[in-house]
Amino acid sequence: DAATAERLKAEVKAAMDAVLAKHKVPFLLTCSATDLLRDDKGELIGVVMASRAGRQAVLGKVTVDATDRGHLARAAGAKPATA
């Protein structure tokens, strides 16, 4: 049901946040990826993020799409997993 799904979503988010904090991995909250950044070879090197503070480019060796629908991953060319 919807309540169970929301509770599970909150539990997964809390677990992910805890692991990132434990390993001192910087992460951003309450922002949305609006564009992908690629190098001259077409490799993904980051994203453009939008928040109440404005837009900013975030570069990194690894980009993780932790959204519930994977829009960023698909825009980057990832294929959805099949069961």
Side-chain angles (χ1 to χ4, degrees):
D1 68 3
T4 302
E6 283 302 312
R7 187 175 67 249
L8 179 59
K9 184 176 171 181
E11 290 173 7
V12 169
K13 181 189 177 315
M16 290 176 66
D17 290 353
V19 170
L20 292 171
K22 177 181 176 183
H23 294 283
K24 298 184 171 117
V25 175
F27 60 100
L28 301 169
L29 299 173
T30 64
C31 55
S32 299
T34 60
D35 203 359
L36 300 172
L37 299 173
R38 298 184 181 273
D39 64 14
D40 56 355
K41 297 176 189 170
E43 297 293 321
L44 183 64
I45 59 170
V47 296
V48 176
M49 304 294 294
S51 70
R52 292 190 321 212
R55 292 171 43 108
Q56 63 181 343
V58 179
L59 303 176
K61 293 178 185 176
V62 176
T63 302
V64 177
D65 181 350
T67 63
D68 58 346
R69 294 212 160 66
H71 295 296
L72 181 63
R74 275 185 261 169
K79 302 288 186 239
T82 57

Tab-separated table of all heavy atoms in Angstrom, residues 9-67:
chain	number	residue	atom	x	y	z
A	9	LYS	N	10.558	3.982	1.464
A	9	LYS	CA	11.330	5.033	0.800
A	9	LYS	C	12.113	5.860	1.826
A	9	LYS	O	13.296	6.134	1.639
A	9	LYS	CB	10.380	5.927	-0.006
A	9	LYS	CG	11.038	6.990	-0.824
A	9	LYS	CD	9.966	7.733	-1.634
A	9	LYS	CE	10.500	8.943	-2.310
A	9	LYS	NZ	9.479	9.655	-3.065
A	10	ALA	N	11.475	6.213	2.930
A	10	ALA	CA	12.135	6.988	3.990
A	10	ALA	C	13.245	6.183	4.648
A	10	ALA	O	14.315	6.724	4.957
A	10	ALA	CB	11.116	7.437	5.023
A	11	GLU	N	13.036	4.881	4.844
A	11	GLU	CA	14.050	4.029	5.452
A	11	GLU	C	15.265	3.886	4.547
A	11	GLU	O	16.410	3.928	5.013
A	11	GLU	CB	13.468	2.662	5.774
A	11	GLU	CG	12.471	2.671	6.913
A	11	GLU	CD	11.770	1.339	7.101
A	11	GLU	OE1	12.145	0.340	6.442
A	11	GLU	OE2	10.838	1.290	7.920
A	12	VAL	N	15.040	3.708	3.262
A	12	VAL	CA	16.150	3.597	2.307
A	12	VAL	C	16.934	4.899	2.265
A	12	VAL	O	18.168	4.896	2.294
A	12	VAL	CB	15.629	3.213	0.901
A	12	VAL	CG1	16.720	3.351	-0.147
A	12	VAL	CG2	15.074	1.793	0.917
A	13	LYS	N	16.247	6.030	2.223
A	13	LYS	CA	16.925	7.328	2.202
A	13	LYS	C	17.767	7.512	3.456
A	13	LYS	O	18.924	7.928	3.384
A	13	LYS	CB	15.922	8.466	2.074
A	13	LYS	CG	16.603	9.825	2.016
A	13	LYS	CD	15.607	10.945	2.108
A	13	LYS	CE	16.261	12.300	2.126
A	13	LYS	NZ	17.425	12.435	2.999
A	14	ALA	N	17.222	7.181	4.614
A	14	ALA	CA	17.966	7.323	5.865
A	14	ALA	C	19.204	6.434	5.866
A	14	ALA	O	20.289	6.860	6.300
A	14	ALA	CB	17.067	6.994	7.054
A	15	ALA	N	19.076	5.217	5.365
A	15	ALA	CA	20.221	4.303	5.302
A	15	ALA	C	21.297	4.835	4.349
A	15	ALA	O	22.491	4.797	4.670
A	15	ALA	CB	19.759	2.912	4.863
A	16	MET	N	20.876	5.351	3.188
A	16	MET	CA	21.842	5.915	2.228
A	16	MET	C	22.546	7.132	2.820
A	16	MET	O	23.771	7.265	2.710
A	16	MET	CB	21.135	6.285	0.919
A	16	MET	CG	20.682	5.088	0.130
A	16	MET	SD	19.742	5.530	-1.347
A	16	MET	CE	20.980	6.351	-2.314
A	17	ASP	N	21.796	8.018	3.444
A	17	ASP	CA	22.383	9.205	4.076
A	17	ASP	C	23.405	8.803	5.133
A	17	ASP	O	24.484	9.393	5.236
A	17	ASP	CB	21.306	10.083	4.700
A	17	ASP	CG	20.430	10.790	3.675
A	17	ASP	OD1	20.719	10.710	2.467
A	17	ASP	OD2	19.444	11.425	4.103
A	18	ALA	N	23.093	7.783	5.934
A	18	ALA	CA	23.989	7.341	7.001
A	18	ALA	C	25.295	6.788	6.438
A	18	ALA	O	26.377	7.083	6.962
A	18	ALA	CB	23.294	6.293	7.870
A	19	VAL	N	25.213	5.995	5.384
A	19	VAL	CA	26.426	5.432	4.772
A	19	VAL	C	27.283	6.544	4.180
A	19	VAL	O	28.510	6.564	4.365
A	19	VAL	CB	26.070	4.380	3.703
A	19	VAL	CG1	27.292	3.972	2.902
A	19	VAL	CG2	25.433	3.164	4.350
A	20	LEU	N	26.671	7.489	3.487
A	20	LEU	CA	27.427	8.598	2.911
A	20	LEU	C	28.110	9.412	4.003
A	20	LEU	O	29.285	9.761	3.896
A	20	LEU	CB	26.509	9.491	2.072
A	20	LEU	CG	25.974	8.859	0.788
A	20	LEU	CD1	24.919	9.766	0.168
A	20	LEU	CD2	27.085	8.572	-0.193
A	21	ALA	N	27.390	9.707	5.066
A	21	ALA	CA	27.965	10.488	6.168
A	21	ALA	C	29.095	9.725	6.844
A	21	ALA	O	30.142	10.309	7.153
A	21	ALA	CB	26.872	10.847	7.176
A	22	LYS	N	28.905	8.435	7.064
A	22	LYS	CA	29.935	7.613	7.708
A	22	LYS	C	31.245	7.654	6.932
A	22	LYS	O	32.327	7.695	7.506
A	22	LYS	CB	29.445	6.170	7.826
A	22	LYS	CG	30.460	5.221	8.416
A	22	LYS	CD	29.925	3.813	8.479
A	22	LYS	CE	30.989	2.860	8.987
A	22	LYS	NZ	30.511	1.477	8.994
A	23	HIS	N	31.143	7.640	5.608
A	23	HIS	CA	32.332	7.617	4.754
A	23	HIS	C	32.751	9.012	4.286
A	23	HIS	O	33.587	9.148	3.399
A	23	HIS	CB	32.109	6.671	3.581
A	23	HIS	CG	31.973	5.245	4.014
A	23	HIS	ND1	33.044	4.469	4.367
A	23	HIS	CD2	30.881	4.476	4.197
A	23	HIS	CE1	32.634	3.276	4.733
A	23	HIS	NE2	31.316	3.256	4.638
A	24	LYS	N	32.127	10.027	4.867
A	24	LYS	CA	32.449	11.429	4.582
A	24	LYS	C	32.340	11.769	3.091
A	24	LYS	O	33.136	12.514	2.541
A	24	LYS	CB	33.834	11.784	5.122
A	24	LYS	CG	33.897	11.641	6.623
A	24	LYS	CD	35.217	12.067	7.184
A	24	LYS	CE	35.099	12.093	8.677
A	24	LYS	NZ	35.879	11.234	9.416
A	25	VAL	N	31.309	11.208	2.456
A	25	VAL	CA	31.024	11.506	1.054
A	25	VAL	C	30.101	12.716	1.020
A	25	VAL	O	29.023	12.685	1.616
A	25	VAL	CB	30.341	10.307	0.361
A	25	VAL	CG1	29.938	10.655	-1.063
A	25	VAL	CG2	31.246	9.093	0.394
A	26	PRO	N	30.506	13.792	0.353
A	26	PRO	CA	29.613	14.958	0.289
A	26	PRO	C	28.394	14.657	-0.581
A	26	PRO	O	28.496	13.983	-1.599
A	26	PRO	CB	30.485	16.047	-0.340
A	26	PRO	CG	31.577	15.329	-1.047
A	26	PRO	CD	31.759	14.008	-0.355
A	27	PHE	N	27.239	15.152	-0.136
A	27	PHE	CA	26.024	14.982	-0.926
A	27	PHE	C	25.114	16.180	-0.720
A	27	PHE	O	25.263	16.912	0.248
A	27	PHE	CB	25.317	13.661	-0.622
A	27	PHE	CG	24.884	13.469	0.811
A	27	PHE	CD1	23.575	13.699	1.177
A	27	PHE	CD2	25.786	13.044	1.770
A	27	PHE	CE1	23.160	13.507	2.489
A	27	PHE	CE2	25.381	12.847	3.081
A	27	PHE	CZ	24.068	13.080	3.443
A	28	LEU	N	24.216	16.380	-1.659
A	28	LEU	CA	23.322	17.529	-1.641
A	28	LEU	C	21.888	17.062	-1.431
A	28	LEU	O	21.481	16.036	-1.955
A	28	LEU	CB	23.414	18.297	-2.965
A	28	LEU	CG	24.799	18.822	-3.321
A	28	LEU	CD1	24.816	19.317	-4.748
A	28	LEU	CD2	25.197	19.921	-2.370
A	29	LEU	N	21.135	17.850	-0.679
A	29	LEU	CA	19.719	17.565	-0.442
A	29	LEU	C	18.874	18.694	-1.012
A	29	LEU	O	19.367	19.789	-1.251
A	29	LEU	CB	19.452	17.441	1.059
A	29	LEU	CG	20.210	16.328	1.786
A	29	LEU	CD1	19.988	16.436	3.277
A	29	LEU	CD2	19.784	14.969	1.288
A	30	THR	N	17.610	18.434	-1.205
A	30	THR	CA	16.609	19.402	-1.681
A	30	THR	C	17.075	20.171	-2.920
A	30	THR	O	16.983	21.381	-2.993
A	30	THR	CB	16.190	20.394	-0.565
A	30	THR	OG1	17.311	21.186	-0.176
A	30	THR	CG2	15.610	19.666	0.626
A	31	CYS	N	17.585	19.439	-3.879
A	31	CYS	CA	17.957	20.040	-5.159
A	31	CYS	C	17.614	19.038	-6.256
A	31	CYS	O	17.376	17.871	-5.988
A	31	CYS	CB	19.432	20.415	-5.181
A	31	CYS	SG	20.529	19.060	-4.792
A	32	SER	N	17.585	19.531	-7.469
A	32	SER	CA	17.235	18.686	-8.609
A	32	SER	C	18.283	18.818	-9.691
A	32	SER	O	18.741	19.926	-9.985
A	32	SER	CB	15.888	19.114	-9.190
A	32	SER	OG	14.881	18.985	-8.230
A	33	ALA	N	18.647	17.698	-10.276
A	33	ALA	CA	19.548	17.733	-11.423
A	33	ALA	C	18.757	18.234	-12.627
A	33	ALA	O	17.666	17.750	-12.908
A	33	ALA	CB	20.115	16.352	-11.696
A	34	THR	N	19.302	19.227	-13.298
A	34	THR	CA	18.603	19.797	-14.453
A	34	THR	C	19.298	19.507	-15.771
A	34	THR	O	18.689	19.649	-16.829
A	34	THR	CB	18.465	21.324	-14.308
A	34	THR	OG1	19.768	21.899	-14.217
A	34	THR	CG2	17.653	21.675	-13.070
A	35	ASP	N	20.564	19.109	-15.704
A	35	ASP	CA	21.301	18.846	-16.938
A	35	ASP	C	22.499	17.970	-16.620
A	35	ASP	O	22.990	17.953	-15.493
A	35	ASP	CB	21.775	20.156	-17.566
A	35	ASP	CG	22.047	20.049	-19.055
A	35	ASP	OD1	21.880	18.945	-19.624
A	35	ASP	OD2	22.427	21.059	-19.644
A	36	LEU	N	22.974	17.246	-17.611
A	36	LEU	CA	24.177	16.434	-17.482
A	36	LEU	C	25.371	17.205	-18.022
A	36	LEU	O	25.240	17.980	-18.974
A	36	LEU	CB	24.033	15.142	-18.285
A	36	LEU	CG	22.881	14.229	-17.896
A	36	LEU	CD1	22.757	13.096	-18.905
A	36	LEU	CD2	23.064	13.697	-16.504
A	37	LEU	N	26.527	16.988	-17.435
A	37	LEU	CA	27.769	17.587	-17.926
A	37	LEU	C	28.659	16.472	-18.459
A	37	LEU	O	28.872	15.460	-17.795
A	37	LEU	CB	28.488	18.334	-16.796
A	37	LEU	CG	27.718	19.491	-16.182
A	37	LEU	CD1	28.461	20.022	-14.961
A	37	LEU	CD2	27.529	20.591	-17.208
A	38	ARG	N	29.166	16.665	-19.666
A	38	ARG	CA	30.019	15.651	-20.306
A	38	ARG	C	31.312	16.298	-20.768
A	38	ARG	O	31.352	17.484	-21.078
A	38	ARG	CB	29.300	15.029	-21.496
A	38	ARG	CG	28.018	14.303	-21.087
A	38	ARG	CD	27.386	13.609	-22.286
A	38	ARG	NE	26.152	12.940	-21.933
A	38	ARG	CZ	26.072	11.699	-21.473
A	38	ARG	NH1	27.160	10.992	-21.315
A	38	ARG	NH2	24.915	11.171	-21.183
A	39	ASP	N	32.364	15.485	-20.833
A	39	ASP	CA	33.640	15.993	-21.340
A	39	ASP	C	33.641	15.918	-22.864
A	39	ASP	O	32.642	15.532	-23.485
A	39	ASP	CB	34.821	15.247	-20.717
A	39	ASP	CG	34.876	13.764	-21.083
A	39	ASP	OD1	34.168	13.320	-22.025
A	39	ASP	OD2	35.642	13.035	-20.422
A	40	ASP	N	34.762	16.261	-23.477
A	40	ASP	CA	34.825	16.291	-24.944
A	40	ASP	C	34.743	14.902	-25.571
A	40	ASP	O	34.520	14.770	-26.767
A	40	ASP	CB	36.078	17.032	-25.423
A	40	ASP	CG	37.373	16.463	-24.876
A	40	ASP	OD1	37.328	15.533	-24.037
A	40	ASP	OD2	38.444	16.948	-25.279
A	41	LYS	N	34.869	13.855	-24.765
A	41	LYS	CA	34.717	12.481	-25.255
A	41	LYS	C	33.295	11.959	-25.047
A	41	LYS	O	32.987	10.837	-25.393
A	41	LYS	CB	35.696	11.558	-24.539
A	41	LYS	CG	37.146	11.893	-24.802
A	41	LYS	CD	38.030	10.985	-23.980
A	41	LYS	CE	39.466	11.446	-24.073
A	41	LYS	NZ	40.336	10.752	-23.110
A	42	GLY	N	32.453	12.788	-24.420
A	42	GLY	CA	31.080	12.386	-24.160
A	42	GLY	C	30.885	11.654	-22.845
A	42	GLY	O	29.784	11.200	-22.542
A	43	GLU	N	31.949	11.549	-22.042
A	43	GLU	CA	31.847	10.873	-20.753
A	43	GLU	C	31.164	11.784	-19.732
A	43	GLU	O	31.431	12.980	-19.687
A	43	GLU	CB	33.239	10.488	-20.239
A	43	GLU	CG	33.968	9.506	-21.125
A	43	GLU	CD	33.305	8.138	-21.144
A	43	GLU	OE1	32.837	7.680	-20.082
A	43	GLU	OE2	33.263	7.540	-22.228
A	44	LEU	N	30.325	11.201	-18.902
A	44	LEU	CA	29.634	11.957	-17.862
A	44	LEU	C	30.648	12.410	-16.814
A	44	LEU	O	31.415	11.603	-16.289
A	44	LEU	CB	28.559	11.084	-17.213
A	44	LEU	CG	27.690	11.742	-16.163
A	44	LEU	CD1	26.852	12.854	-16.772
A	44	LEU	CD2	26.793	10.715	-15.497
A	45	ILE	N	30.663	13.714	-16.538
A	45	ILE	CA	31.597	14.252	-15.540
A	45	ILE	C	30.877	15.001	-14.422
A	45	ILE	O	31.504	15.457	-13.481
A	45	ILE	CB	32.658	15.169	-16.182
A	45	ILE	CG1	32.011	16.350	-16.897
A	45	ILE	CG2	33.556	14.371	-17.110
A	45	ILE	CD1	32.977	17.420	-17.351
A	46	GLY	N	29.555	15.117	-14.510
A	46	GLY	CA	28.823	15.807	-13.458
A	46	GLY	C	27.434	16.189	-13.914
A	46	GLY	O	26.959	15.763	-14.962
A	47	VAL	N	26.809	17.017	-13.092
A	47	VAL	CA	25.454	17.471	-13.369
A	47	VAL	C	25.317	18.941	-13.016
A	47	VAL	O	26.117	19.497	-12.273
A	47	VAL	CB	24.404	16.663	-12.569
A	47	VAL	CG1	24.394	15.215	-12.980
A	47	VAL	CG2	24.627	16.796	-11.083
A	48	VAL	N	24.298	19.560	-13.569
A	48	VAL	CA	23.894	20.898	-13.153
A	48	VAL	C	22.733	20.702	-12.189
A	48	VAL	O	21.782	19.970	-12.481
A	48	VAL	CB	23.463	21.772	-14.351
A	48	VAL	CG1	22.947	23.122	-13.882
A	48	VAL	CG2	24.618	21.933	-15.326
A	49	MET	N	22.836	21.326	-11.009
A	49	MET	CA	21.835	21.192	-9.972
A	49	MET	C	21.091	22.515	-9.802
A	49	MET	O	21.699	23.576	-9.920
A	49	MET	CB	22.488	20.835	-8.636
A	49	MET	CG	23.332	19.585	-8.662
A	49	MET	SD	22.393	18.094	-8.952
A	49	MET	CE	21.413	18.026	-7.495
A	50	ALA	N	19.810	22.433	-9.505
A	50	ALA	CA	19.015	23.623	-9.205
A	50	ALA	C	18.446	23.474	-7.797
A	50	ALA	O	17.982	22.404	-7.416
A	50	ALA	CB	17.880	23.780	-10.209
A	51	SER	N	18.504	24.568	-7.056
A	51	SER	CA	17.924	24.600	-5.713
A	51	SER	C	17.411	26.010	-5.465
A	51	SER	O	17.515	26.883	-6.332
A	51	SER	CB	18.969	24.217	-4.662
A	51	SER	OG	19.938	25.243	-4.543
A	52	ARG	N	16.922	26.256	-4.278
A	52	ARG	CA	16.458	27.605	-3.959
A	52	ARG	C	17.600	28.608	-4.027
A	52	ARG	O	17.368	29.795	-4.243
A	52	ARG	CB	15.820	27.634	-2.572
A	52	ARG	CG	14.526	26.869	-2.535
A	52	ARG	CD	13.748	27.066	-1.273
A	52	ARG	NE	14.576	27.132	-0.074
A	52	ARG	CZ	14.219	26.727	1.107
A	52	ARG	NH1	13.026	26.195	1.275
A	52	ARG	NH2	15.017	26.839	2.136
A	53	ALA	N	18.823	28.157	-3.860
A	53	ALA	CA	19.994	29.046	-3.921
A	53	ALA	C	20.409	29.357	-5.359
A	53	ALA	O	21.241	30.229	-5.577
A	53	ALA	CB	21.171	28.418	-3.177
A	54	GLY	N	19.843	28.654	-6.336
A	54	GLY	CA	20.193	28.867	-7.735
A	54	GLY	C	20.720	27.599	-8.384
A	54	GLY	O	20.490	26.507	-7.897
A	55	ARG	N	21.446	27.784	-9.481
A	55	ARG	CA	22.006	26.651	-10.216
A	55	ARG	C	23.494	26.551	-9.944
A	55	ARG	O	24.172	27.553	-9.774
A	55	ARG	CB	21.765	26.817	-11.715
A	55	ARG	CG	20.303	26.697	-12.097
A	55	ARG	CD	20.031	27.076	-13.546
A	55	ARG	NE	20.980	26.569	-14.488
A	55	ARG	CZ	20.741	25.589	-15.362
A	55	ARG	NH1	19.576	25.026	-15.412
A	55	ARG	NH2	21.669	25.196	-16.200
A	56	GLN	N	23.995	25.310	-9.921
A	56	GLN	CA	25.423	25.105	-9.754
A	56	GLN	C	25.837	23.830	-10.473
A	56	GLN	O	25.063	22.886	-10.572
A	56	GLN	CB	25.795	25.018	-8.277
A	56	GLN	CG	25.190	23.857	-7.540
A	56	GLN	CD	25.577	23.852	-6.070
A	56	GLN	OE1	26.511	24.499	-5.649
A	56	GLN	NE2	24.837	23.097	-5.268
A	57	ALA	N	27.060	23.829	-10.979
A	57	ALA	CA	27.622	22.636	-11.586
A	57	ALA	C	28.300	21.819	-10.493
A	57	ALA	O	28.974	22.357	-9.624
A	57	ALA	CB	28.634	23.011	-12.657
A	58	VAL	N	28.079	20.517	-10.540
A	58	VAL	CA	28.707	19.604	-9.592
A	58	VAL	C	29.461	18.566	-10.408
A	58	VAL	O	28.859	17.801	-11.153
A	58	VAL	CB	27.655	18.916	-8.690
A	58	VAL	CG1	28.319	17.953	-7.731
A	58	VAL	CG2	26.833	19.959	-7.936
A	59	LEU	N	30.786	18.578	-10.280
A	59	LEU	CA	31.631	17.635	-11.005
A	59	LEU	C	32.043	16.503	-10.082
A	59	LEU	O	32.187	16.707	-8.871
A	59	LEU	CB	32.885	18.343	-11.522
A	59	LEU	CG	32.649	19.554	-12.420
A	59	LEU	CD1	33.975	20.206	-12.786
A	59	LEU	CD2	31.885	19.152	-13.664
A	60	GLY	N	32.230	15.325	-10.637
A	60	GLY	CA	32.659	14.209	-9.808
A	60	GLY	C	33.105	13.029	-10.646
A	60	GLY	O	32.775	12.917	-11.823
A	61	LYS	N	33.874	12.151	-10.010
A	61	LYS	CA	34.305	10.918	-10.663
A	61	LYS	C	33.125	9.965	-10.828
A	61	LYS	O	33.085	9.176	-11.756
A	61	LYS	CB	35.395	10.235	-9.837
A	61	LYS	CG	36.680	11.014	-9.776
A	61	LYS	CD	37.687	10.291	-8.910
A	61	LYS	CE	38.929	11.137	-8.742
A	61	LYS	NZ	39.879	10.498	-7.825
A	62	VAL	N	32.181	10.056	-9.879
A	62	VAL	CA	31.007	9.177	-9.889
A	62	VAL	C	29.770	10.032	-9.669
A	62	VAL	O	29.775	10.931	-8.837
A	62	VAL	CB	31.109	8.119	-8.771
A	62	VAL	CG1	29.848	7.271	-8.714
A	62	VAL	CG2	32.337	7.253	-8.952
A	63	THR	N	28.726	9.749	-10.417
A	63	THR	CA	27.445	10.423	-10.234
A	63	THR	C	26.413	9.354	-9.903
A	63	THR	O	26.269	8.381	-10.642
A	63	THR	CB	27.032	11.183	-11.512
A	63	THR	OG1	28.049	12.123	-11.829
A	63	THR	CG2	25.725	11.915	-11.318
A	64	VAL	N	25.709	9.519	-8.797
A	64	VAL	CA	24.706	8.546	-8.364
A	64	VAL	C	23.325	9.170	-8.478
A	64	VAL	O	23.075	10.232	-7.921
A	64	VAL	CB	24.958	8.115	-6.895
A	64	VAL	CG1	23.870	7.165	-6.423
A	64	VAL	CG2	26.332	7.489	-6.755
A	65	ASP	N	22.467	8.510	-9.217
A	65	ASP	CA	21.073	8.937	-9.313
A	65	ASP	C	20.302	8.199	-8.226
A	65	ASP	O	20.008	7.021	-8.355
A	65	ASP	CB	20.515	8.605	-10.688
A	65	ASP	CG	19.076	9.056	-10.865
A	65	ASP	OD1	18.447	9.460	-9.874
A	65	ASP	OD2	18.588	8.994	-12.006
A	66	ALA	N	20.008	8.891	-7.147
A	66	ALA	CA	19.291	8.275	-6.025
A	66	ALA	C	17.811	8.629	-6.035
A	66	ALA	O	17.142	8.539	-5.013
A	66	ALA	CB	19.938	8.703	-4.711
A	67	THR	N	17.306	9.014	-7.191
A	67	THR	CA	15.886	9.326	-7.296
A	67	THR	C	15.075	8.043	-7.394
A	67	THR	O	15.610	6.974	-7.710
A	67	THR	CB	15.590	10.197	-8.532
A	67	THR	OG1	15.938	9.448	-9.702
A	67	THR	CG2	16.386	11.485	-8.495
